[in-house]
Amino acid sequence: MPLSPDEAGRFADLLSGHAEPMVARWTELVAANLRGRLSSAELGRQTADLQRAFQQAFAAGATDLGDEAAAELRAQLTELSNHRARQGFTATETAVSVYALKDAALEALGDAANLKDYVAFSGFVDRAALFTFDSYVRVRESLIADQAEQLLELSTPVVKLWEGVVAVPLVGTLDSARAQVVMERLLQTLVDTGSPYAIIDITGVPAVDTQVAQHILKTVVAARLMGADCIISGIRPQIAQTIVALGIEFGDIATKASLADALRHVLHKTGQRSPGAKRTER
Amino acid sequence: MNEESQRLPVVTDQDVVRVRQLVRTVAVAVKLSLVDQTKLVTAASELARNTLVYGGGGEVEVTRVHNERRGGIRIVFADQGPGIVDLQLALTDGYTTGGGLGLGLSGARRLVDEFEIDTEVGKGTTITVVKWCR
Ligand SMILES: Nc1ncnc2c1ncn2[C@@H]1O[C@H](COP(=O)(O)OP(=O)(O)OP(=O)(O)O)[C@@H](O)[C@H]1O
Ligand SMILES: [Mg+2]
C-alpha cells in the first residue's frame, strides 16, 4: 500500500528534524544485533547514509519504494546488502539493519508520533527491508555461483609440460560444464603458448562413457583446427576394455597408457630428447 | 532372491552422477572385478542419461541379487517418456536422435550380462540389466 504524498512530506520533515537521535539509536540497535562485527564508526556512517536516503526519498515525494524518487534509496539498500552478503552476515542480520529504523523512529518521535502515520511509515520500511533481503539473496547466490566456477577452474589446470607441449590432467566427473571449461582453457593455452601438441590425460577419470568420449573427441577436433595434435593418455586397462565394448573409436588419435609415454611419443616425433635422457649437447 | 533395493530419482545431471556413485558402491560391495565395476558403472551412466534426456526423467533401482551360484547386481531404469518407436534401430550402433554418438544403448547392452527392454510408445521405457560376479 503506497503512502499518500502528504504522509511522505511529513516523514521527510520528521526524519530531518530528528536526524541525530534517530541515527544514534538506529546505529545502537544494529550494533547490538551484529555484536561488534562491524566497527561502530562504520555502522554509524552506514545508518547516517541510509537515514539521509530515506529522508531524501520522502522529500522528493516517494510514496512507493519503486518510485523514481526512491531510486537513490534503492541503490543504498542494494549497496548495504552487497556489503553484508560479502562480509558474511546472515539474511536476518542484514534485514534487521533496515528494520531497526522503525524502533529508532518510534523512540525518537516519542509521543509526537501519530498512529496512522507510524503504520504507514512502518509499511514503507518493511518493503525496504524486504527489498534488502531480496537483493541480499541475489548477491549470495551469485557469490556461490562464482565460487562454484572458481572450483571448476581450479580443478582443470592446463599446464605447459615441455617446450611445445601442453597437458590437461582430467580428474573426476567430466560433466558438460566442466568439459566446456576444459576445452576453452586448452584451446586458449594452445594459442598463448603456440604449442603444437596437447596431451589430454584421463588417469583421474573414473569412467569414460559416450558423453565423456564425445567431449574429448570434440576437443581434439577443435585443437586440430588450430593446428595442434592431441594425444590421449592415462587409459587404464579397465577403461580401455570398457571403451572397446561400448564401441567408441578414437580413430587416428594417438592414445598412450601414461602421461610419460605420451610425452615420450611427442618428443620422439619432434626429434627432441626425452625427459630423463642424458643431455650430451646444448 | 533380492535384498536391499535402493532407488534414486533421475531428474538432473547431478542425479546421473549419483546413480554412477551408487552403482560403483554396490559393485564394490558385491566384489565385482575392477573391469566389471567399470563396465557396469559406464552402462549405468549411459542408461541413466537416456532416462533423463529421452525419457524426460525417471527412476533407477539398484538391487543386490543372487542365484544358487553367484551374486550380482540388477539395475532397473524406468521412465514414463515417449517410449522407443523402433527398438532395433535404437539398438543400432551410431543411431542417435539427440546428436550423441549413438552408442549408449547398444554399448550398454554389450557391457552387461543380461539386458531387457520393455518399451511402449507413449507410455515409457523400462530397461533392466544384470551383471554377475565371475
Ligand atoms: N529412455 C528412452 N526413451 C526414449 N527414447 C530413447 C530412450 N533411450 C534411448 N532412446 C532413443 O534411442 C536412441 C539411441 O540411444 P543411445 O543411447 O544409443 O544414443 P544417444 O543417447 O543418442 O547417444 P550416446 O548415448 O552415444 O551419447 C536415442 O537417440 C533415442 O532416440
Ligand atoms: Mg545415450
Side-chain angles (χ1 to χ4, degrees), chain B residues 46 50 54 104:
Chain B
E46 294 301 337
N50 283 353
Y54 302 109

Coordinates of all heavy atoms in Angstrom, one line a residue, chain B residues 46 50 54 104, ligand 2:
Chain B
E46 N 25.2 -44.5 -19.1 CA 24.5 -44.4 -20.4 C 23.0 -44.5 -20.2 O 22.3 -43.7 -20.7 CB 25.0 -45.5 -21.3 CG 26.4 -45.5 -21.7 CD 26.8 -44.2 -22.4 OE1 25.9 -43.5 -23.0 OE2 28.0 -43.8 -22.4
N50 N 20.1 -41.6 -20.7 CA 19.0 -41.8 -21.7 C 17.6 -41.6 -21.0 O 16.7 -40.9 -21.5 CB 19.0 -43.2 -22.3 CG 20.1 -43.3 -23.4 OD1 20.7 -42.3 -23.8 ND2 20.3 -44.5 -23.9
Y54 N 16.0 -38.7 -22.9 CA 14.9 -39.1 -23.8 C 13.6 -39.4 -23.1 O 12.6 -39.3 -23.6 CB 15.4 -40.2 -24.7 CG 16.6 -39.9 -25.5 CD1 17.8 -40.5 -25.1 CD2 16.6 -39.0 -26.5 CE1 19.0 -40.2 -25.9 CE2 17.7 -38.7 -27.2 CZ 18.9 -39.3 -26.9 OH 20.0 -39.0 -27.6
G104 N 25.2 -45.4 -26.7 CA 24.8 -45.6 -25.3 C 24.0 -46.9 -25.1 O 24.4 -47.8 -24.3
Ligands
MG2 MG 22.5 -42.3 -24.8

